[in-house]
């Protein structure tokens, strides 16, 4: 039995909220173009294949952590300060995303 129409509407609604939340992290890579940034966010979300609203929330955390890690690596390249701290934080964010991804893979499919 497939998901109910209301479940599909909830997933679509949360997806759009997730796009709004993650959009600032993608504006730089999108060259400042908000439409392109939104399309990039949606593409990343769809790439994970969200199965439910809780799953989508985990996916949002994974994407946000990964983009934050990349941003810290970018900052380390531009910084005259403590590069090691930027790299350590990027590694920590990446590990957190990996942990959430593993827990997502181990979670049963939501119905």
């Amino acid at each position: 039995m497939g998901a109910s129409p209301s479940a599909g509407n909830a997933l679509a609604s949360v997806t759009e909220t997730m796009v709004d939340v993650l959009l600032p992290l993608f504006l730089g890579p999108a060259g400042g173009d908000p439409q392109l940034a939104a399309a990039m966010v949606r593409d990343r979300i769809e790439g994970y294949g969200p199965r439910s609203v809780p799953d989508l929330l985990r996916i949002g955390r994974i994407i946000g952590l990964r983009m934050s890690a990349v941003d810290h690596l970018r900052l380390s390249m531009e910084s005259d300060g403590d590069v090691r701290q930027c790299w350590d934080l990027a590694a920590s964010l990446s590990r957190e995303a990996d942990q959430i991804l593993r827990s997502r893979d181990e979670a049963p499919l939501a119905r």
Side-chain angles (χ1 to χ4, degrees):
M1 186 177 202
S4 69
S6 62
N9 290 340
L11 200 58
S13 177
V14 173
T15 297
E16 287 311 305
T17 300
M18 194 70 56
V19 169
D20 291 342
V21 169
L22 294 171
L23 189 71
L25 296 172
F26 284 80
L27 279 173
D33 181 344
Q35 281 97 9
L36 179 57
M40 291 169 69
V41 174
R42 284 187 194 92
D43 183 61
R44 292 305 316 138
I45 291 170
E46 290 170 14
Y48 283 98
R51 304 174 291 221
S52 63
V53 170
D55 189 44
L56 179 58
L57 295 174
R58 283 191 294 270
I59 289 167
R61 285 196 67 203
I62 292 166
I63 294 169
L65 288 165
R66 295 249 188 253
M67 288 303 291
S68 295
V70 169
D71 195 48
H72 276 82
L73 293 174
R74 179 191 60 79
L75 288 173
S76 75
M77 302 279 205
E78 298 173 356
S79 175
D80 291 334
D82 190 358
V83 171
R84 172 83 177 173
Q85 183 180 6
C86 287
W87 280 76
D88 288 347
L89 188 51
S92 176
L93 292 167
S94 184
R95 280 191 301 273
E96 176 78 14
D98 289 344
Q99 183 178 9
I100 295 168
L101 187 57
R102 278 191 302 276
S103 73
R104 178 182 182 262
D105 290 341
E106 295 166 359
L109 288 174
R111 299 207 181 244

